[in-house]
Amino acid sequence: MKPAEVDYVRAETVEHALALLAETGVDSKVLAGGQSLMPLLAMRLAGPERLIDIGRVPGLDRLEIVGDRLVIGALVRHHRVATDPLVARAAPLLAAAAPHVAHPAIRNRGTFGGSLSHADPASEFPACALALGADIVLVSAAGRRTVPAETFFEGLYQTALGPDELLLEVSIPVATPDARFAFVEFARRSGDYALAGLAAAARADGDRLADLRLAFFGIGDVPVLAAEAAAILASGPHAETAIAAAVATLDAIEVRDSAAAGAAYRRHLARVALRRAARALARPEAAACR
Amino acid sequence: MTAPLPAPIGAPVPHRRTWRLVHGRGRYVGDVTVPRLLHAAFVRSPHGHARIDAIDVGAAAATPGVVAVFTGADIATVCRPWRGVHGLFPSLNAPLQHALAIDTARWSGEPVALVVATSRAIAEDAAALVVIDWTPLPAVADPETARDGAARIHPDLGTNVCLVQSHESGDVDAAFAGAAVVAEETFRFGRHTGVPIEARGLIADFDPTERRLTVHHSHQCPHQMQNDFAVLLGLAEHRVRVIAPDVGGGFGIKQQLYGDEIAVCAAAMLLGRPVAWTADRLESFTADIHAREHVVQGRVALSAAGDILAFDVDDLHAIGPYSQFPRSSAGEGRAVVAQTGAPYRFGAIRARATAVFQNKGMSGHYRGVGQPIACAVTEVLLDKAARGAGLDPIAVRRRNLVRAADLPWRAPTGVTYPRLAFEECFAALDAHLDLEALRRDCADARANGRLRGLGLACFVEMTSRGSGFYGTGGVAVSSRDGCTLRLEPTGGIRCLSSITEQGQGAETGVLQVIAAAVGVPLDAVDLLTGDTATSFHGGGTWGSRCMAIGGEAAWRAGRALRAEILDIAARLLQADAGALDIRDGVVVDAATGGGRMTLAEIGAVGHFRPHEVPGAQPQLVASASYGSEAPFRPGCGLQLAVVEIDPDSGAVRLERFVVVHECGLVVNPLLVDEQIRGGVVQGLGAALFEELLYDSEGQLLNGSLADYLVPTAPEICDIELVHAHATPAGGDDLGIAGVGEAGTTGASAAVLCAVNDALSARGASIAQIPCTPERILTALGVI
Ligand SMILES: Cc1cc2nc3c(=O)[nH]c(=O)nc-3n(C[C@H](O)[C@H](O)[C@H](O)COP(=O)(O)OP(=O)(O)OC[C@H]3O[C@@H](n4cnc5c(N)ncnc54)[C@H](O)[C@@H]3O)c2cc1C
């Protein structure tokens, strides 16, 4: 299929992109890695009048530690998230999640900012951002604002991004030495979007877990924080009874149903993911598991 | 033929075309350019079943760049409708089908109108502007509803049943009454499709001054299409030329006539300008041929000692809204009836196959055509019966397999198998691995709570059909192939063959046969295929036949050319042709090997100084065509799968996959291996991943490669290949059996058996493919 005719502008700077976005009366869409937007255009499921390509805007691919935060620019590619030692050190959950995002060719082009902006409910990075308590920095010609991940994801492919705004960067607290994380995903094939998955982050506090955040993806319209389950798991030393109690709280979570996977199946996978993650988090070397 | 055949027959020569393709020198339909080319886009039915009340093409036709918009009625002015009938099945209901739907659309994706414009993008823009008034009609989606429900897809037929095929032989009821164990199962097979990487497409160029149609067509059977286009478009067949250039995969998907494709030819005729169209992936999913979608009730009767007494199978399969053309939709059910229990000796069978119409995409011949269904039903029933009787399922197989002593084996299905080699296959399997150790390993794992299982499927593949099926049935499909060889003046050989190439490598095999037959190096032969203007009218690719049939024609043409070259040499050298030989491209003294003349010298004399050849007019060309006199040639083998199921997620992981195979003369083991591996992967896809999901209104729910799950490399384990060798058949031919469908025929069965072996740890079982994790967990009672 061929996309419908569309205007194309390459933004030279952030300011240029923002000025273009501020123009009213023209339906514009930001183009980053194009790995979600181009298929939508080709299948004519999206039909903007104008594409604003931010792909060559200098500075948007910054990846650095500023104080106690890791700052990931909107244009940082998935491949870099998967392989850059800085990410592995400062946000190992992201490094563990990245190989589950699509395939190498797509990871070479797809961007971190694009992944959060697109907000596919089965996407890995939005859930990681939620689990890590990320702040998402948005800019428009009118100024800059910071939105916490908790309120950024509003609905199916819906975010707090206004039509004139650009996702500039994401800032994540740098992992402390006592940080623990777990990442569990179920997909039909290697590289597929998740049927269900869980991104979990915490700190070890003796034989307890502190600041435990459990972010499920693939089961609802947005990544879901399982606060009740986290409270149960964090409240006492790790025990199978606590895990069972935490898993039981998932019955209350709303789970989507689709031809690819029914709701009962997705809920079951969420339970399995939680069990696996909880066991992994209890180990001192809590690392990614399948 | 029993004498050892000369090299390079038997050599592992890499597929020649690959070299060119990986260098970006492919020439697919999409690479062909023609002056004044126009591009087509289709308007397709969004409904599973709906009446077309009115079509308004005004806005589309007014779009700048649009040259024409054609409705079904417009196309019908130059294109006759057709019925997919078959003379061997007179009761087959074959409704009239038009290239584009005229008053009723019967599947979501059926072409309804055609926009022709100066670019594809403009054609797509305009297609979106065609306004159709629809009245939705009740849709019939699943096979049981189609058979039993009230809604009719073709009201004038009074039924949704296309064809019932039945066969009964032996005393089935007595066999079941006297059986020690009866195993029974209801099987469900998902709807699949072949997913060639290159989508269907063509460029049709019509010259009205000569009423000459030239079509570059991504197709397996260009000669068949030449005939179909000529007959349906009212053209002289010898002025229709179909060229299948590089074709990126077929698998049966590019084997029939498609309404959208002939509509493109019709548009070219109506406009007098060339028109191109290539399906996009969504069109491929909605409008390519689908396959399978069976519900089978099966029973097997076993004696206490483990003898198979009888099979009883009742197959229901759904084929979309029409009988496919030109081959009809009889083949799928025919294979189920004919191939149930194929590897085994047994006395009685009752088999019935019912094909029904439904409001889903057209269904037809995909790699294996019904044989994978027969194999899976047979093998799973045998496992179940053996378990029920407390017998070892593999011992039951070994006990019942057709042996050399039983040949020719007249099966109660009515099929006679001239040659099967299961004893050799089992011996080769036993030499390759320790089956008992593998089984112990699985049993130990299960004893430890893991879900690990082994499945072994025996399969027979019917290859290289003779002309008794299509020819006798009045279907204009050739079961022969031809080969013409020409000696060029400088000694090279040009081959014009009617086989076709979609990536399987048959061309390379045919080259090897020619090089061996004449006695020249491989590189001295060049091969042209896929062009109906240059080659003999032949079958092309279907039913595992290119090497067996086309290779045989090539051998005969090669021997004939060789004989003429030797005759000319003998005349020039005043020698006895019998004392000469051709080795490595040189005419030599057969006794000493001493060189006498090069082929270049023969070529130069023959073409430029023929008067020097005493007593003969050099022809320097030889042709042969060949069709099998037998109804088919069987290939056979074993497929073994070891799987481990994650009891939490329900995911099935392939741990090991082994194919043992016997296919007569192996011209090129590399090609055979890759044909089987490719076929296995398609069978594994069917068993574990692939399924076209429709809702009850006939809407396809997963028409993209993100949603229709074709297995990729990480999902597949290594596929171990073992060649078994049995005594050649001993005819006057090369004794090649096809291998194209072998992998697909047995792979699903092996996996289904392995999954059930694994599930047996928890007393669970499954009789549905694909075995999705969700279905596995449901079978385990987890969800
Ligand atoms: C076959 C395939 C498999 C995939 N599998 C996965 C998977 O398993 N998991 C997964 O998470 N993803 C998957 N993806 C999607 C991939 O990760 C995309 O790269 C990602 O979702 C979007 O990033 P992008 O840079 O390509 O964005 P684009 O496609 O360019 O844009 C996507 C959307 O985000 C908007 N946007 C992009 N950047 C910005 C910005 N800075 N500010 C404001 N708006 C912006 C665009 O306007 C557009 O609406 C897959 C894609 C494909 C093609």
Side-chain angles (χ1 to χ4, degrees), chain A residues 1 44 188-190 262 268, chain B residues 125 280 648 688 710 715 774:
Chain A
M1 261 190 153
R44 299 195 176 207
R188 289 294 305 280
R189 298 175 304 182
S190 157
H268 170 78
Chain B
D125 285 346
D280 64 43
D648 291 334
L688 295 174
V710 177
E715 282 74 54
E774 199 167 359

Side-chain angles (χ1 to χ4, degrees), chain B residues 450-483:
Chain B
R450 285 159 58 196
L451 302 182
R452 194 175 171 88
L454 179 147
L456 179 81
C458 304
F459 70 94
V460 175
E461 183 202 2
M462 286 197 178
T463 84
S464 324
R465 283 183 184 281
S467 50
F469 188 70
Y470 291 125
T472 309
V475 177
V477 166
S478 169
S479 301
R480 298 211 296 168
D481 268 304
C483 178

Side-chain angles (χ1 to χ4, degrees), chain A residues 21 28-40 51-52 54 60 74-78 100-103 106-107 109-120 122-126 138 161-162 165-169 185 187 191-194, chain B residues 705-706:
Chain A
L21 280 171
S28 295
K29 207 107 184 82
V30 170
L31 175 67
Q35 298 305 290
S36 295
L37 186 51
M38 291 313 294
L40 289 176
L51 294 178
I52 303 172
I54 60 167
L60 273 185
L75 282 186
V76 170
R77 312 280 162 174
H78 303 339
H100 293 266
V101 181
H103 313 278
I106 293 158
R107 292 201 288 271
R109 286 178 177 271
T111 66
F112 198 71
S115 191
L116 298 198
S117 306
H118 189 58
D120 190 297
S123 213
E124 292 82 359
F125 289 150
L138 312 180
L161 265 169
E165 279 182 311
L166 193 68
L167 191 159
L168 187 70
E169 60 199 25
E185 170 167 341
D192 276 352
Y193 275 109
Chain B
L705 285 170

Side-chain angles (χ1 to χ4, degrees), chain B residues 3 38 75 80 159 230 253 350 576 645 648 768-769 775:
Chain B
L38 297 171
I75 295 295
R80 281 173 39 197
T159 173
I253 305 309
R350 181 183 296 133
D576 177 5
I645 298 173
D648 291 334
Q768 180 171 19
I769 62 168
R775 286 175 184 149

Side-chain angles (χ1 to χ4, degrees), chain B residues 26 30 34 39 189 239 443 464 474 480 509 533 542 548 555 561 565 598 606 624 630 745-746 774:
Chain B
V34 182
H39 299 267
F189 297 89
R239 291 196 188 89
S464 324
R480 298 211 296 168
W542 55 273
W555 174 259
L561 183 65
I565 291 169
T598 64
T745 297
E774 199 167 359

Side-chain angles (χ1 to χ4, degrees), chain A residues 1-5 42-44 103 186-193 195 257-269 271-272 275-276 279 290, chain B residues 120-121 124-125 128 280-282 646-649 653 688-690 693 701 704-712 714-715 770-774 777 782-783:
Chain A
M1 261 190 153
K2 308 291 182 201
E5 203 169 278
M43 289 190 265
R44 299 195 176 207
H103 313 278
F186 296 103
R188 289 294 305 280
R189 298 175 304 182
S190 157
D192 276 352
Y193 275 109
L195 298 174
D257 200 24
S258 75
Y265 175 47
R266 280 187 208 269
R267 188 185 303 285
H268 170 78
L269 292 179
R271 292 188 189 117
V272 174
R275 252 180 242 124
R276 290 186 182 176
R279 287 177 197 143
R290 279 191 333 134
Chain B
R120 172 66 175 255
E124 285 187 23
D125 285 346
D280 64 43
R281 194 52 71 179
L282 178 61
D646 176 342
D648 291 334
S649 73
R653 196 171 67 236
L688 295 174
F689 295 100
E690 298 178 37
L693 301 168
L701 303 175
S704 86
L705 285 170
D707 303 309
Y708 181 84
L709 307 180
V710 177
T712 62
E715 282 74 54
C771 302
T772 63
E774 199 167 359
L777 292 181
V782 172
I783 55 173

